[in-house]
Amino acid sequence: MAQDGLYTKLHLAVRARTQPGQVVLVSGSATSDRTSGALEMVTSPDQYPIWRTPKPVIIARGVRHDYRYSIRSAHDVEAEPGHVRSVKTNTPELHKEDDFGVTPPEPPDVPLKKPSPTPGASRLVIVCYHLPVRVVRDAQNNWTASWGSSIIAKSPSESIADSRETWWAGTIHGGLNRRQLTDQDKDEIRAVLLKMNCIPVFSSNSEEGYLNYCKRILWPSFHNVTVLDQCCAAWHERAEWDQDAGSSWSAYEAMNGDFRDMLLDFLRAGDTVWVHDYHLMLLPSLLATSEPFRVDRHQSRKARIVFFLHAPFPTSQLFCALANGPKLLEGVVGADVVGFHAFEHARHFLNACTRLMGMERASVAGGITGVLHQGRTVMVVVRHVSVETDQIEQALRDEVPSHVPAIEGLIQEPSRETPNNAKRIVLCGVDPCQRLSGISLKLLAYERFLAEYPRWRGRVALVQYCLLDGTRVQDEARTLDEIKALGQRLNAQNPGSVVLIERPSGRLGMAERLALFQRSDVLVGTAIREGHTLYPSEYALARALGKRGPGVILASEFSATSTLMSGAVNVNPFDVPSVAAALDTALSMDAVEKRDRLDRDLPYVKSRPSGRWTQEILEDMETVHRQVAVDEDASLAIAQRLEIGRLADAFSRSSRRFLFLDLGGTLIPKGDSVSKVLKSATKGALLRPGVRRALQALSEDPQTTVYVVSGTTPSALESLFSDLPQLSLAAANGLATSLPDQRPQTTMTSYGTDWDAVRKAALPLMKRRAAWTNGSAVLKREPGLAWSYYRADPEWGRIQALQLAQDLESILAPFDVAVAHREGMLEIVPQAMHKGHVVKKALSEALSRGEPPDFVLCVGDSLSDEKMFSSVYSYLADAPRAPLDRAFTVAVGRKASRALFYLDDDAHVGDALAALAGRAA
């Protein structure tokens, strides 16, 4: 019945004994004030202690609605105990009386909310491109698997898997996905991994999506390599401009789709999905927008989603060079929580969301901040992870001693002429053999160091491991050739000063790594751009637990280590002389300063195991979930997807129809500028052809009245619809109306405002702010004023807008006006003006003429449109019994709203209008 637009007038009453000054509130999906979430009830001396809703609440007929009472005092709001109440009826009107604090038994057939899983029933599903396992055939040709050393692998201690059922999903690597596996191989691998709670994903798109798009396009871009450098310099495998070359983007999309399909079959209600890294940036949104992912009438999510980026996030200027950057951002914000290792990366992500997507920021308890997306607040957090202390202690005790001779064998000890025949002092580095690792810059600085500080010649050796994982073959080959040439030059000048070791596997085992770290006095990092690496933490702990005492860490200013390890010596790898000087400083540092620097880092290193990091991320997820639960209980933003066919059927059964349609984000795509399009003389392109045809057919139907209600100026609105003379236009959010029999003339609604005095007071402030803010402008309305910063830098524009709003509110306090802060604009409007007046006036006038409408459709996408929905409910509540058979309030996009229904976007609004036009007379 709800899809037919039928509604019920619900009269709520509650028996509640209150103290002086207290008021009873009702909130929930059955309140008419759906965004503030609390409707104030009323009483009188002769009715007390009965409190009633001041007017009936409008609810969709045949649909269950939840609500809860609370008592508000001067400083607190006390909700009644017990579960929320519910009501469902098929009658046109219903009176319901309750007792405060006395709730009936919860209905057994339909849960009030998505059931919370019992402890242990809620699963954690960790999704990564590569499963953190090694899959190989044994001597008997059987498949075997073992855990790797990744931070997302199952840890033998303090693992989240000890307290919660945990699963891992991803592809298997080691070359297995690059060759044809038989169906029998896949079945055997699945059986082996099932014992480890691992789910393999066999994607036919993995090689193209991973090696081409992820490694050749995303990886350098995320490390701040511009698209131009990728094409024309040595960063890229091939010299080309096309980011979609080889269908790499299509393969990336399909690869993410393969992961989605697997998860939709596996997930159950209450699970938490934790998606890792840039390989799967589309996955959160792909999951969230899949119909099987929503399991109840609240459109609640089947599972909660976390996305964590381990790579750096580039500046917004570089990110916007990615051809599909907006799609990647849209994919990520499908998550509930987005995490980063460093604040710098989170800041760049937030800037990209603001600048590229126009998302607004929002404060979030427990997070850095968040962004608003489709009515949800996506939390953005920074969470640090370090090493597994117990694993390192065990390796140092049991495995490292056997690797020490091999490490010592790498180092050519100095000649007998060296004072005291001391062993060489060792500098070390362990880096991927790629240009962004800065190994060449490291060797150049080391060469400068030996030249400018001759006392160290013959006494030091740099042991540099070059890890080649085969994901960027040409980059690795070029980098390795360059490194070898520099190493040969250094050893020719100072024999034994450099030891270069290639690791084609791309791996250096923990025991060998720790043996190297214990032997090395300085760990040198000169990455040009680097995300989070655990090697510095391992080095600090290995030196702290060893016999040689603390060492020194040199960290690149362009790495996350420089912000996480406060005891490190930070260097700019491009400043070769300063790096050389830092090497001398590190080698000359006394034991006291070394200990002091180590003591700064040890608390962080030893207290951030992966288990704790995981737990913190899950706590962030719970914070979001609790906030969402509170918001849903209070704001009652419960909407159903509108079935266009049912809407058209209701339209056909009616004879006096009113349509109220917002413009931007409803009839035209969100973000399109009406003024800009009109100036470019392409107004026909602003409205989709199908929308224009539908509006023409509907407005020419004698049984249908169509209003377009917009915040734009009367002249702009008239120019846009000049070829549709039967439309009723309401510009400036209802301040100026133009009906078919008077167009193009407009009628200004008078609110008793002295606009000359308002302009005289406000205009100087607005002009001054416009001069300070490039891209902003003062817009003179008829009447009124506005200051637009839509074309300004989003950050600077928002800062200026907030300050200007404060100044205007102060200077305009004597006038009956308000400063409305809309998207990209401040507008001075009458205090009582809003779009809802257009709706209520049109419906009331029809009723007074004896022609009450029997069908109303009201569609909008923004906060200002909520007033139109409220006016529909207010009209229904105040009008005589059932003058209006069917009412549809529709939000564009799934979001918190007063609307009873939603459509996904403006394209679906166009489909709905076309369907109605097909039924028009």
Side-chain angles (χ1 to χ4, degrees):
M1 291 186 179
Q3 286 289 346
D4 296 324
L6 298 176
Y7 63 90
T8 295
K9 292 184 177 183
L10 174 64
H11 303 262
L12 288 175
V14 61
R15 183 182 301 274
R17 297 192 176 277
T18 58
Q19 300 297 320
Q22 292 182 330
V23 177
V24 177
L25 309 174
V26 59
S27 61
S29 60
T31 62
S32 59
D33 192 356
R34 295 167 110 56
T35 53
S36 66
L39 179 64
E40 189 172 299
M41 305 183 77
V42 298
T43 189
S44 62
D46 58 325
Q47 292 182 334
Y48 181 82
I50 303 298
W51 295 74
R52 304 182 185 276
T53 50
K55 60 175 63 177
V57 174
I58 305 303
I59 62 174
R61 198 178 302 179
V63 175
R64 174 176 172 159
H65 295 270
D66 301 334
Y67 64 98
R68 185 193 296 275
Y69 296 109
S70 57
I71 295 178
R72 183 180 66 199
S73 57
H75 306 290
D76 192 18
V77 176
E78 176 193 358
E80 66 175 339
H83 56 77
V84 297
R85 302 172 182 271
S86 65
V87 60
K88 177 179 178 181
T89 180
N90 294 322
T91 62
E93 195 160 3
L94 176 67
H95 292 261
K96 194 170 190 300
E97 185 170 320
D98 302 305
D99 288 314
F100 186 88
V102 180
T103 55
E106 187 172 0
D109 54 337
V110 182
L112 290 173
K113 290 187 178 292
K114 181 172 61 180
S116 299
T118 57
S122 175
R123 303 176 301 178
L124 172 64
V125 183
I126 298 174
V127 186
C128 45
Y129 179 74
H130 282 144
L131 278 172
V133 297
R134 291 186 291 273
V135 180
V136 296
R137 287 189 184 273
D138 60 16
Q140 289 74 39
N141 205 35
N142 296 320
W143 291 106
T144 63
S146 60
W147 289 107
S149 57
S150 168
I151 60 173
I152 59 175
K154 185 175 182 180
S155 172
S157 62
E158 295 189 54
S159 173
I160 190 67
D162 296 334
S163 58
R164 184 173 187 172
E165 183 181 348
T166 304
W167 289 78
W168 288 260
T171 65
I172 52 177
H173 55 108
L176 295 181
N177 275 358
R178 298 189 179 97
R179 62 187 179 89
Q180 295 296 322
L181 291 172
T182 65
D183 291 340
Q184 182 179 352
D185 288 333
K186 294 178 181 179
D187 290 339
E188 291 176 359
I189 291 172
R190 289 189 184 99
V192 170
L193 292 177
L194 184 63
K195 301 173 184 177
M196 304 170 66
N197 278 22
C198 292
I199 308 167
V201 178
F202 297 102
S203 172
S204 60
N205 304 286
S206 60
E207 183 167 349
E208 180 76 15
Y210 175 71
L211 291 179
N212 285 342
Y213 193 78
C214 292
K215 288 301 182 181
R216 293 178 178 175
I217 295 176
L218 284 187
W219 185 87
S221 296
F222 275 44
H223 288 78
N224 275 356
V225 177
T226 66
V227 173
L228 181 62
D229 281 342
Q230 291 185 52
C231 168
C232 302
W235 303 106
H236 205 280
E237 307 284 330
R238 299 185 296 268
E240 59 187 17
W241 285 98
D242 187 4
Q243 295 181 38
D244 289 326
S247 302
S248 59
W249 169 252
S250 298
Y252 182 78
E253 287 184 300
M255 182 180 75
N256 279 257
D258 292 338
F259 274 79
R260 173 203 56 196
D261 295 342
M262 179 277 299
L263 288 170
L264 289 178
D265 291 336
F266 178 76
L267 292 175
R268 67 189 185 201
D271 288 347
T272 295
V273 183
W274 188 354
V275 182
H276 286 270
D277 227 2
Y278 60 94
H279 317 94
L280 301 171
M281 292 182 71
L282 301 180
L283 184 56
S285 183
L286 288 176
L287 284 173
T289 56
S290 299
E291 283 304 318
F293 201 67
R294 303 191 171 271
V295 295
D296 61 21
R297 65 186 184 82
H298 294 262
Q299 301 298 327
S300 297
R301 292 185 165 193
K302 184 175 184 179
R304 309 166 194 175
I305 307 175
V306 179
F307 178 83
F308 203 98
L309 185 68
H310 298 274
F313 196 91
T315 63
S316 58
Q317 291 89 341
L318 288 175
F319 188 82
C320 71
L322 286 170
N324 296 290
K327 294 181 181 178
L328 295 172
L329 286 179
E330 189 78 25
V332 170
V333 296
D336 301 286
V337 175
V338 179
F340 301 88
H341 286 298
F343 172 71
E344 176 190 12
H345 307 158
R347 177 165 53 87
H348 290 164
F349 171 76
L350 290 167
N351 286 339
C353 289
T354 300
R355 296 172 186 274
L356 272 69
M357 304 295 289
M359 299 180 192
E360 296 183 12
R361 295 195 188 179
S363 299
V364 182
I368 295 178
T369 183
V371 292
L372 294 175
H373 178 63
Q374 294 184 349
R376 297 184 302 111
T377 300
V378 182
M379 179 190 284
V380 177
V381 300
V382 174
R383 294 292 178 259
H384 310 308
V385 63
S386 184
V387 294
E388 309 295 328
T389 304
D390 52 349
Q391 291 185 37
I392 291 179
E393 290 176 344
Q394 181 179 354
L396 288 171
R397 182 178 62 251
D398 301 337
E399 302 176 48
V400 169
S402 63
H403 289 270
V404 170
I407 297 297
E408 293 288 356
L410 298 174
I411 304 164
Q412 180 182 334
E413 294 300 344
S415 63
R416 293 180 180 177
E417 289 77 17
T418 304
N420 301 323
N421 197 26
K423 287 187 174 184
R424 280 191 190 263
I425 299 170
V426 177
L427 314 176
C428 76
V430 181
D431 304 280
C433 189
Q434 299 172 359
R435 290 181 64 97
L436 285 176
S437 296
I439 302 175
S440 297
L441 292 175
K442 184 188 303 185
L443 294 175
L444 289 172
Y446 183 58
E447 182 181 47
R448 182 75 171 259
F449 161 73
L450 293 177
E452 294 190 355
Y453 303 92
R455 70 180 183 275
W456 298 111
R457 295 175 191 165
R459 298 174 56 193
V460 298
L462 172 62
V463 179
Q464 176 65 51
Y465 277 79
C466 302
L467 310 180
L468 299 96
D469 63 6
T471 58
R472 292 179 54 81
V473 178
Q474 294 182 30
D475 183 3
E476 292 173 355
R478 282 192 293 264
T479 303
L480 187 59
D481 288 343
E482 192 174 78
I483 292 170
K484 285 180 177 179
L486 288 171
Q488 290 172 3
R489 190 170 79 191
L490 275 162
N491 282 327
Q493 299 168 357
N494 301 279
S497 59
V498 175
V499 180
L500 297 177
I501 304 168
E502 303 172 36
R503 279 299 169 90
S505 66
R507 296 183 64 254
L508 181 63
M510 177 184 286
E512 186 177 359
R513 207 163 57 232
L514 294 175
L516 172 68
F517 291 161
Q518 284 205 321
R519 178 64 180 85
S520 305
D521 298 273
V522 182
L523 173 66
V524 186
T526 54
I528 295 172
R529 179 75 168 166
E530 185 180 57
H532 186 37
T533 173
L534 296 180
Y535 292 163
S537 297
E538 287 184 356
Y539 176 82
L541 191 56
R543 295 291 301 194
L545 300 175
K547 298 178 181 179
R548 297 172 60 89
V552 180
I553 299 172
L554 261 62
S556 167
E557 294 176 354
F558 307 107
S559 69
T561 302
S562 64
T563 60
L564 298 178
M565 306 285 285
S566 60
V569 177
N570 294 339
V571 296
N572 179 351
F574 296 103
D575 188 352
V576 171
S578 70
V579 178
L583 289 171
D584 177 65
T585 299
L587 294 175
S588 304
M589 193 177 293
D590 59 52
V592 174
E593 184 176 353
K594 288 181 181 179
R595 172 55 63 180
D596 178 65
R597 288 178 176 271
L598 178 63
D599 288 343
R600 291 185 225 166
D601 290 331
L602 274 183
Y604 160 75
V605 170
K606 300 174 74 172
S607 65
R608 314 296 302 180
S610 60
R612 177 174 177 181
W613 172 64
T614 303
Q615 190 59 48
E616 287 179 346
I617 293 293
L618 296 180
E619 289 173 359
D620 293 333
M621 185 70 261
E622 290 300 323
T623 299
V624 172
H625 179 65
R626 286 194 298 269
Q627 186 62 47
V628 169
V630 170
D631 291 344
E632 285 185 351
D633 187 37
S635 71
L636 302 137
I638 298 174
Q640 303 177 71
R641 185 189 298 274
L642 181 63
E643 295 180 17
I644 295 177
R646 301 283 287 274
L647 173 71
D649 291 341
F651 182 87
S652 298
R653 290 193 293 268
S654 58
S655 58
R656 293 184 299 275
R657 310 143 179 157
F658 275 77
L659 278 61
F660 300 94
L661 308 173
D662 172 49
L663 181 61
T666 302
L667 295 179
I668 63 176
K670 192 175 183 65
D672 280 357
S673 170
V674 178
S675 300
K676 181 180 178 181
V677 172
L678 292 174
K679 289 177 182 178
S680 64
T682 57
K683 65 180 181 180
L686 189 59
L687 280 173
R688 291 186 173 90
V691 173
R692 186 172 290 278
R693 288 194 299 269
L695 289 176
Q696 181 174 359
L698 290 168
S699 62
E700 293 176 353
D701 177 13
Q703 298 179 333
T704 305
T705 301
V706 183
Y707 275 83
V708 176
V709 188
S710 171
T712 193
T713 62
S715 59
L717 198 62
E718 177 61 39
S719 180
L720 180 61
F721 294 107
S722 59
D723 58 338
L724 299 178
Q726 297 305 311
L727 281 180
S728 297
L729 305 181
N733 291 315
L735 189 61
T737 56
S738 181
L739 301 180
D741 57 355
Q742 68 177 111
R743 289 180 55 189
Q745 302 300 317
T746 59
T747 300
M748 306 302 296
T749 303
S750 174
Y751 292 91
T753 303
D754 185 350
W755 285 109
D756 290 336
V758 169
R759 289 193 190 93
K760 185 176 180 180
L763 200 55
L765 288 175
M766 301 173 83
K767 285 183 175 180
R768 187 184 314 143
R769 197 66 60 172
W772 295 348
T773 313
N774 187 42
S776 68
V778 178
L779 307 178
K780 294 183 179 180
R781 304 289 199 185
E782 286 297 334
L785 281 173
W787 181 75
S788 170
Y789 63 96
Y790 187 79
R791 302 281 174 202
D793 178 271
E795 292 292 316
W796 183 239
R798 184 166 58 249
I799 292 172
Q800 295 298 313
L802 293 174
Q803 184 59 53
L804 177 59
Q806 293 180 8
D807 296 342
L808 289 175
E809 287 170 355
S810 175
I811 200 170
L812 296 176
F815 303 95
D816 190 22
V817 294
V819 180
H821 196 167
R822 314 189 196 282
E823 294 182 15
M825 180 180 296
L826 287 182
E827 189 172 4
I828 301 174
V829 299
Q831 189 80 39
M833 190 196 80
H834 55 74
K835 287 184 177 181
H837 286 302
V838 177
V839 175
K840 193 163 187 178
K841 180 180 179 183
L843 296 179
S844 299
E845 288 179 351
L847 179 63
S848 64
R849 294 194 303 266
E851 301 174 350
D854 54 4
F855 176 95
V856 168
L857 171 65
C858 185
V859 190
D861 75 304
S862 66
L863 186 61
S864 62
D865 300 317
E866 298 294 320
K867 293 293 186 180
M868 293 201 296
F869 304 149
S870 291
S871 292
V872 173
Y873 302 138
S874 179
Y875 169 80
L876 296 177
D878 293 338
R881 181 180 180 89
L884 173 57
D885 291 336
R886 291 170 175 83
F888 296 84
T889 52
V890 184
V892 181
R894 184 186 289 119
K895 63 185 72 174
S897 173
R898 295 178 175 93
L900 295 175
F901 304 94
Y902 77 89
L903 289 169
D904 290 323
D905 51 31
D906 62 285
H908 286 84
V909 174
D911 294 340
L913 294 178
L916 299 188
R919 304 287 184 95

